[in-house]
Amino acid sequence: MHLKSLKVFCDVVARRSFSRAASENGISQSGASQIVNALEEHLGVKLIDRTKRPFVLTPEGEVYYEGSRKLVQRYFALEEEVRTLHEEVAGRVSIASIYSIGLSHMNLFVQRFLRDYPKANVRIQYQHPRRVYELVESDQVDLGLVSYPRSTRTIKALVWREEPMVLVCAPGHRLAKCERLALEDLHGLDVIGFDADLEIRSEIDRALAAHSVEVRVAMEFDNTETIKRAVEIDAGVSLLPEPTITQEVATGALVARPIAGIELKRPIGIIQRRGKELGKTARRFMQLLLKQSSSSREVEDVGDAEREHDDGSTDAEPTRRAGAPDVRSHAERGNDEALAEAKEHAAAAHVAS
């Protein structure tokens, strides 16, 4: 059977859509359907149960998909290896990342990579953490970048860096005058927090409880970008990973202070599908990341444990070329109303004082 037919079948399954698979392969939707029908006729079995919405794989389809997926991956990795054996790296690497990692780390790494391999094509899309896992698991991207990485039966996770958490406040806040703070200095303050179901929120709450610190959670968001905007208007203070606020600190929009007596860090990691054979370009990009790793170690398999992370945004954020202008996340746009209200409260508080 022609390899292209296997690729179309794998894309239909991975994207759970005949139309998206057809677009990916430059054919019509009916063409993709005909290819799958031809495979089923050739094998004499049904691979996809179309009576269910969305469609599901039959037991035979599950076996055929796993084998075809590995075969297609191996072929394209081999093809890229042979083509570039005596040439510079000129293939593509696709990456899905949560916002805070992408915005605080990836631009520099992409610039370095393209400087060394100018013919390479780096594609980065910023997604909600759950969506990052989905894209990696379904082979739609080569690598994923997440916080609090966890291995599963199908995902291999590697801790890449551990970022120190710092207290962040507006320049006019009273804590901005202190050079060093203890966690107890947060007692009784208004705090801009992460959503309660995120892993980073749980870690922060545990640290506060361990030091008998009680705070008033004034606002909750699912991403660092919106939290920073709320802190900038002095709606409260926050605890954020230090690399995510370097730009705001440099411009004077925010003030960051280390927390004494506690080591609170956010681990970030690289995830990839178990058994996936990366192409030459993806391997080189992975090597570049690992060269700059501050804590490279594999994460133990936690089975199907629920994955909750910080910095969520939107499941439908479009792919954009690395180096393209940054745009506000869906979460930021959706939180404009809350921020506007916070601005009013902050202004009122300053007038009252």
Side-chain angles (χ1 to χ4, degrees):
M1 188 56 62
H2 198 283
L3 189 70
K4 184 176 180 180
S5 297
L6 299 183
K7 183 179 183 302
V8 171
F9 170 67
C10 289
D11 288 342
V12 167
V13 176
R15 287 155 179 75
R16 298 186 178 277
S17 167
F18 280 88
S19 61
R20 287 196 290 268
S23 177
E24 175 77 15
N25 289 274
I27 59 177
S28 65
Q29 182 174 340
S30 62
S33 182
Q34 289 170 13
I35 286 174
V36 175
N37 288 337
L39 286 174
E40 291 177 327
E41 290 178 9
H42 174 74
L43 295 168
V45 298
K46 284 292 182 183
L47 300 175
I48 294 177
D49 184 353
R50 296 172 177 79
T51 64
K52 298 180 179 179
R53 293 291 184 272
F55 67 75
V56 296
L57 288 176
T58 64
E60 295 84 356
E62 291 278 3
V63 174
Y64 196 66
Y65 170 65
E66 285 302 318
S68 298
R69 181 182 61 80
K70 293 176 182 177
L71 185 61
V72 170
Q73 280 182 359
R74 177 58 185 146
Y75 174 78
F76 284 109
L78 177 62
E79 188 179 65
E80 183 185 355
E81 189 76 32
V82 172
R83 282 179 174 174
T84 60
L85 193 60
H86 299 294
E87 302 174 3
E88 56 187 318
V89 173
R92 187 179 84 168
V93 55
S94 55
I95 303 158
S97 173
I98 64 171
Y99 273 84
S100 64
I101 298 177
L103 296 176
S104 60
H105 293 287
M106 283 301 101
N107 282 344
L108 178 60
F109 281 102
V110 171
Q111 289 172 10
R112 289 178 182 173
F113 191 74
L114 294 179
R115 180 191 61 200
D116 295 338
Y117 309 108
K119 292 186 178 181
N121 183 0
V122 182
R123 298 284 291 179
I124 300 181
Q125 53 180 300
Y126 297 152
Q127 297 284 359
H128 187 283
R130 287 178 182 162
R131 181 61 177 156
V132 173
Y133 276 88
E134 290 173 2
L135 290 170
V136 170
E137 200 165 23
S138 61
D139 280 337
Q140 296 185 54
V141 296
D142 298 309
L143 304 170
L145 296 169
V146 296
S147 61
Y148 298 91
R150 296 182 181 178
S151 295
T152 69
R153 290 175 300 176
T154 55
I155 295 291
K156 177 182 177 181
L158 186 73
V159 173
W160 178 43
R161 294 186 168 202
E162 292 184 329
E163 302 175 331
M165 303 284 289
V166 294
L167 180 129
V168 182
C169 63
H173 195 280
R174 63 177 179 82
L175 292 184
K177 301 175 182 178
C178 306
E179 288 301 318
R180 196 168 180 82
L181 300 166
L183 203 59
E184 288 76 9
D185 292 320
L186 274 67
H187 188 80
L189 294 183
D190 287 337
V191 168
I192 311 300
F194 288 94
D195 281 350
D197 61 348
L198 300 180
E199 183 70 27
I200 192 169
R201 172 66 179 274
S202 299
E203 291 294 324
I204 292 173
D205 286 350
R206 277 193 285 270
L208 293 173
H211 288 73
S212 301
V213 176
E214 296 183 4
V215 298
R216 295 188 298 271
V217 180
M219 305 173 73
E220 295 179 339
F221 298 107
D222 64 358
N223 65 94
T224 59
E225 293 304 305
T226 314
I227 289 177
K228 288 190 291 185
R229 302 294 84 80
V231 175
E232 284 177 1
I233 62 173
D234 209 6
V237 301
S238 190
L239 291 170
L240 294 174
E242 189 172 31
T244 66
I245 45 88
T246 52
Q247 183 176 350
E248 289 80 5
V249 171
T251 60
L254 292 173
V255 173
R257 294 289 181 259
I259 304 294
I262 185 172
E263 194 172 73
L264 190 59
K265 294 183 178 181
R266 178 185 76 155
I268 59 176
I270 306 167
I271 62 172
Q272 63 183 114
R273 184 183 172 101
R274 290 189 185 276
K276 179 179 176 67
E277 184 153 358
L278 296 176
K280 186 175 182 179
T281 306
R283 292 201 308 271
R284 291 291 175 85
F285 194 84
M286 179 83 158
Q287 290 168 2
L288 174 64
L289 293 178
L290 294 179
K291 282 181 181 178
Q292 304 297 322
S293 171
S294 63
S295 177
S296 179
R297 57 184 172 82
E298 187 173 348
V299 182
E300 293 183 2
D301 190 340
V302 293
D304 291 327
E306 183 179 2
R307 296 184 289 267
E308 293 292 346
H309 308 266
D310 69 311
D311 238 285
S313 53
T314 173
D315 286 350
E317 189 66 25
T319 303
R320 65 180 179 89
R321 182 73 164 88
D326 291 341
V327 296
R328 290 189 305 158
S329 71
H330 174 76
E332 280 188 88
R333 293 191 295 270
N335 288 318
D336 278 348
E337 184 177 344
L339 283 176
E341 183 180 349
K343 286 182 180 180
E344 293 178 4
H345 286 304
H350 284 306
V351 171
S353 61

